[in-house]
Amino acid sequence: MSIREMLHNYHAGMAAYDRCHPPSITSQWQAFKSEALEFMENPSTSEAWDILHSFGRFLWKLTGIPLQLLALPTVYKHSQRYAHHGCIRSARNCELNCCVHTTDIKP
C-alpha cells in the first residue's frame, strides 16, 4: 500500500468513525486516558504508538494541527483495518456502528 493510499484510507476511516462518534475535547481526552490505561496494563510498542495517536487527536481538537499523523504505525493500522473490513477499530473493539461508507474505501 502506498503512502497516498494509506493516508486516503486513514482519513476515510477516521471520517467514518467520527461521523458516528463526533470528536470533542472531552472525548479525545477520554480516549487518551483509555489508551494510557491499556498501556499500563499491557505495555508494548504498539500501545505506546496508540497513546501518541490519541494524544495527537486530543491536541488536534485543541489546535487544529493533525499531530496524530506522527504516530505512523497507528495510522497504518487504522488504514489497514478500514481498507480490509470498513472499521478502524479492531475486531475485539468494533461496535459495528462506524457508519461505513463503502465508497470511501479504496480497493
Side-chain angles (χ1 to χ4, degrees):
M1 175 182 299
S2 71
I3 298 262
R4 183 177 175 190
E5 290 171 317
M6 177 185 64
L7 289 175
H8 172 81
N9 289 332
Y10 172 78
H11 288 299
M14 293 307 295
Y17 185 80
D18 288 349
R19 277 191 288 276
C20 284
H21 305 89
S24 66
I25 291 171
T26 301
S27 71
Q28 296 309 300
W29 180 248
Q30 291 299 96
F32 169 70
K33 290 189 330 184
S34 176
E35 290 295 346
L37 183 60
E38 283 183 38
F39 179 80
M40 299 285 278
E41 292 172 353
N42 188 16
S44 69
T45 304
S46 177
E47 287 298 334
W49 284 114
D50 289 352
I51 289 172
L52 180 60
H53 181 264
S54 62
F55 192 66
R57 285 206 16 117
F58 172 70
L59 292 176
W60 159 71
K61 281 307 292 178
L62 290 174
T63 68
I65 300 169
L67 295 171
Q68 68 272 21
L69 295 176
L70 295 173
L72 199 56
T74 299
V75 169
Y76 180 76
K77 176 174 66 177
H78 288 331
S79 172
Q80 288 286 95
R81 287 177 179 164
Y82 187 72
H84 288 135
H85 62 87
C87 183
I88 62 162
R89 307 282 309 253
S90 67
R92 176 176 55 100
N93 292 318
C94 185
E95 300 164 349
L96 300 174
N97 64 351
C98 289
C99 301
V100 175
H101 295 273
T102 55
T103 57
D104 291 341
I105 303 173
K106 188 170 184 133

